[in-house]
Amino acid sequence: MKTERAKEILLQLLKIPSPSGQEDRIMLHIMEFLHKLDYDVHIESDGEMIDLVVNPDAELFYEVHVDTIPIRAEPFVRGNIIYGTGASDIKGGAAAILLMMESLKKEGKDLNVGVVFVSDEELGGRGSALFMERYRPKMAVVLEPTDLEVHTAHAGNIEAYFEVDGKEAHGACPESGVNAIEETYKMLNELKNLDPFKQKGKYFDPHIGIQELLCENPVYLIPALCKGRLEARLLPDQEVEDVLDLMDPILDEYTLKYEYTEIWDGYELEPDEEIVQLAKVAMKKVGLDEFGGMRSWTDAINFMYNGTRTIVFGPGNLDISHTKYERIDVRDVVTASEFLKVLNDVYAEGIEKVEKELS
């Protein structure tokens, strides 16, 4: 029964397109869903962003974004697997929260945590930033595709746009020109050979690579200009400023110009922190036992930068998110919902009882 209900809730969400900047319809759907359950929903907006908040005074919040990348695959169902853009990232997580809130009402239980549905995570993270301007919860669970692992660590991130300049020459005369494509890959190799990107991590390794590259060659030329975007993933304990000090001389040497568009330190929570202890008890009660680290930027960074101790958790698989093959097992949505519901109860019982259970 829960699997079928989770499937129904998720399909309703997937059938409402909500690429970043177009979240109005899905926010209205979620608000109507919650109003039918008699939840009091607060609308937070700055004229552009919309967030929906339930239990605004709670010290522990569940957060999930409802925007997706532009639609690449329409939703369809094959058994317990639901396909479509946003299924894994992260409408499966939104469905888990809605299923939990519906289950609590049916069972006559209280919602002890706060819940916020935010906009714009995929584009700029402005929805979570808006929420954190107005609310400062003590702890949070940010829903993202983690394969049901509880992520207590989070990667740092560097993103930069760049232009590499070469010299035009006829394509048959490479010795007379400077090939901007080859210069770009020389730059990349030097970046990859920096010490920070040779280290090994507990949950993932650091990485730097080019994710976009456009090189002009209109009439059989040695290409003279490449424009691109590089992305660096850092270990939680690597200081982003230290890495930038090593990258800058290489970028200065090879590029016509470059601009850092994202610079974030990562983090790792200590095992004895309250949110980690609460999560451990909830995990034990529902049969989960895997911890991990989030390797992509998420709203958890905005929460942590503002003092909210945050874990990342959710159904879905990060590897296939944003791809044409994005999908999710609806049974994982149910498991995620059960974890969130148990954590809601554990949080209400208090940290002293939790510590006794763990001792």
Side-chain angles (χ1 to χ4, degrees):
M1 290 292 290
K2 285 186 177 179
T3 300
E4 290 304 310
R5 181 56 179 152
K7 189 182 298 185
E8 182 181 355
I9 292 171
L10 178 53
L11 281 172
Q12 289 172 345
L13 296 175
L14 288 173
K15 288 177 180 178
I16 304 172
S18 57
S20 302
Q22 301 177 42
E23 299 96 339
D24 290 10
R25 282 183 58 208
I26 197 165
M27 287 297 194
L28 179 60
H29 168 78
I30 291 170
M31 188 163 57
E32 291 175 345
F33 184 102
L34 295 176
H35 279 164
K36 288 178 182 177
L37 296 172
D38 291 326
Y39 285 107
D40 187 15
V41 181
H42 300 255
I43 301 172
E44 295 291 343
S45 177
D46 63 359
E48 294 183 3
M49 297 299 104
I50 297 175
D51 295 341
L52 300 181
V53 182
V54 181
N55 277 4
D57 296 326
E59 290 191 335
L60 170 60
F61 256 85
Y62 298 166
E63 188 259 27
V64 66
H65 68 89
V66 300
D67 62 313
T68 70
I69 63 166
I71 302 299
R72 302 192 69 208
E74 296 296 329
F76 70 93
V77 182
R78 186 172 290 160
N80 285 316
I81 310 301
I82 299 181
Y83 293 75
T85 298
S88 175
D89 188 11
I90 176 72
K91 289 185 177 180
I97 289 178
L98 293 175
L99 180 63
M100 176 204 72
M101 297 176 78
E102 184 177 78
S103 297
L104 289 174
K105 284 291 184 178
K106 288 180 178 179
E107 296 170 15
K109 293 184 176 181
D110 291 332
L111 177 67
N112 304 305
V113 302
V115 177
V116 57
F117 301 88
V118 306
S119 306
D120 191 57
E121 190 272 350
E122 297 289 359
L123 196 59
R126 292 182 295 165
S128 59
L130 172 66
F131 174 76
M132 290 304 294
E133 285 176 6
R134 302 181 181 185
Y135 302 88
R136 294 293 175 89
K138 182 180 179 182
M139 300 173 289
V141 180
V142 166
L143 276 287
E144 287 288 353
T146 70
D147 286 313
L148 301 177
E149 294 179 350
V150 171
H151 287 188
T152 58
H154 198 297
N157 175 258
I158 299 170
E159 181 186 78
Y161 284 86
F162 63 85
E163 294 184 9
V164 171
D165 197 21
K167 179 185 176 184
E168 278 190 359
H170 190 277
C173 305
E175 64 279 356
S176 298
V178 177
N179 191 316
I181 296 175
E182 294 176 359
E183 292 297 300
T184 299
Y185 280 94
K186 287 180 186 176
M187 176 184 75
L188 179 61
N189 283 333
E190 289 198 26
L191 290 168
K192 283 181 175 291
N193 282 321
L194 292 173
D195 281 344
F197 301 113
K198 294 180 179 180
Q199 297 181 23
K200 296 294 181 180
K202 180 179 177 181
Y203 299 115
F204 51 81
D205 295 333
H207 178 266
I208 187 166
I210 293 174
Q211 294 194 357
E212 293 180 29
L213 189 63
L214 176 65
C215 302
E216 299 175 359
N217 189 357
V219 282
Y220 192 61
L221 291 169
I222 298 301
L225 181 66
C226 285
K227 299 178 181 180
R229 178 175 64 85
L230 64 82
E231 188 95 15
R233 178 180 70 216
L234 306 181
L235 299 178
D237 61 350
Q238 288 178 322
E239 295 287 342
V240 68
E241 291 297 334
D242 293 341
V243 179
L244 292 176
D245 286 343
L246 297 174
M247 290 175 58
D248 282 340
I250 298 173
L251 295 175
D252 287 336
E253 177 184 354
Y254 283 96
T255 69
L256 183 65
K257 61 181 179 180
Y258 64 92
E259 177 187 5
Y260 293 118
T261 50
E262 288 189 14
I263 300 174
W264 300 98
D265 280 314
Y267 68 86
E268 183 166 6
L269 300 177
E270 296 295 332
D272 60 353
E273 294 198 45
E274 183 176 357
I275 184 59
V276 179
Q277 294 291 300
L278 293 169
K280 282 182 179 178
V281 172
M283 291 167 71
K284 184 177 180 181
K285 289 178 180 289
V286 297
L288 299 177
D289 58 7
E290 293 293 329
F291 286 91
M294 172 50 61
R295 60 189 67 194
S296 174
W297 190 93
T298 74
D299 284 329
I301 293 294
N302 279 342
F303 277 68
M304 285 290 292
Y305 265 65
N306 286 280
T308 299
R309 311 307 287 173
T310 304
I311 60 174
V312 184
F313 167 84
N317 180 278
L318 187 62
D319 290 0
I320 58 171
S321 297
H322 293 197
T323 72
K324 294 181 290 185
Y325 317 105
E326 186 169 349
R327 61 192 180 273
I328 195 168
D329 190 325
V330 73
R331 291 167 293 190
D332 288 346
V333 174
V334 174
T335 301
S337 179
E338 290 300 312
F339 169 80
L340 295 173
K341 185 164 69 170
V342 170
L343 182 58
N344 173 75
D345 296 338
V346 170
Y347 167 67
E349 291 171 358
I351 191 63
E352 290 184 4
K353 184 174 181 181
V354 168
E355 289 172 344
K356 286 182 182 178
E357 290 195 33
L358 290 173
S359 62

